Amino acid sequence: MPVHLPAQNRRQFLFTLGAGFLTYSAGAFAKDSQQSDIIYLLNDTHIGEKHPENSPVPSHLRKVVSELVSLEQKPACVLINGDLALRDGQPGDYRHLAKLIRPLQEAKIDMHLTLGNHDERDVFYSVMQEEQPETPPVKSKHISVVQTPHANFFLLDSLHKTMVTQGTLGAEQRTWLAKALDAHADKPAIIMTHHNPRLGGDPNHFPGGLTDSVELWEVLAPRKQVKAYIHGHIHHRSNAEHKGIHIINTPATSYVGNPKASTTGWTIAKLSPTGITLTTRTTDDQHPWNHQTQTLAWR
């Protein structure tokens, strides 16, 4: 049975499809109840159909959803960056995810999703039908541009094949990105995709990262409006830099491989014309990372 997510969020965002760009604009309908400079960043939710309601993974996602709906001033939007499903993108996984995030739609909080290596694109679209555009900018890729007052987010699709750890954008998507960046050069550009690049950061994670990272940076580096690249996939938290572009690895919401070195949570990003302030929130309220902040200046 398909799940039709409420379209209330679309009332807040100006939707356009022109010149091959699927664009959502957060500024046109900003209200006093919104914090137009705040973005909530989640990734690696890994929701499974058979997860008990009170088990850790769905409980972690439910915690951030509860925080969001209780805010007096809502963020500009919520971005969930891939690996939405537990393992291989089963229909029941997405039905469970839809149930967990439905309060965000009911609260008219705009939300955008990307896909990771544990997702299955066709199954995702069959369940979460609101997410599938009638005319995708790039065939078989789930991509868009989300405009906010201080930055444009370019949401990419690095899912190469379900259950294959490495990710790939491909030449067609990189060509689309170059054109989209040139068409939206008025503000800082932030790239958001599930996989880590094989540049900067920790080389231990390069084998499982984005296979066409070098080709991607040939697109990004010359375009000075590109300021940051945000990814998940690693289930950890870190910051790096390559050719002046910040590489921001945000914590997984679901689980971590080594609880002694990392923890689960989400990130609150506060944007300004000159940079971004990242606040880590952890599902363990007592964890040392909880409420830690870091400000990164744009190149």
Side-chain angles (χ1 to χ4, degrees), residues 35-51:
Q35 301 180 84
S36 62
D37 58 347
I38 298 294
I39 310 292
Y40 270 58
L41 306 173
L42 289 72
N43 52 270
D44 296 279
T45 53
H46 285 286
I47 299 300
E49 176 181 14
K50 297 181 180 179
H51 273 136

Side-chain angles (χ1 to χ4, degrees), residues 14 18 32 39 68 81 86 95 112 116 123 172 191 199-200 213 227 231 245-246 260 266 283:
L14 178 63
D32 293 340
I39 310 292
L68 280 158
N81 195 13
L86 175 61
R95 286 194 290 267
H112 302 274
V123 176
E172 187 177 5
I191 310 301
L199 301 163
S213 299
K227 309 299 185 183
H231 69 90
I245 298 171
H246 294 289
K260 293 182 179 180
W266 62 95
T283 53

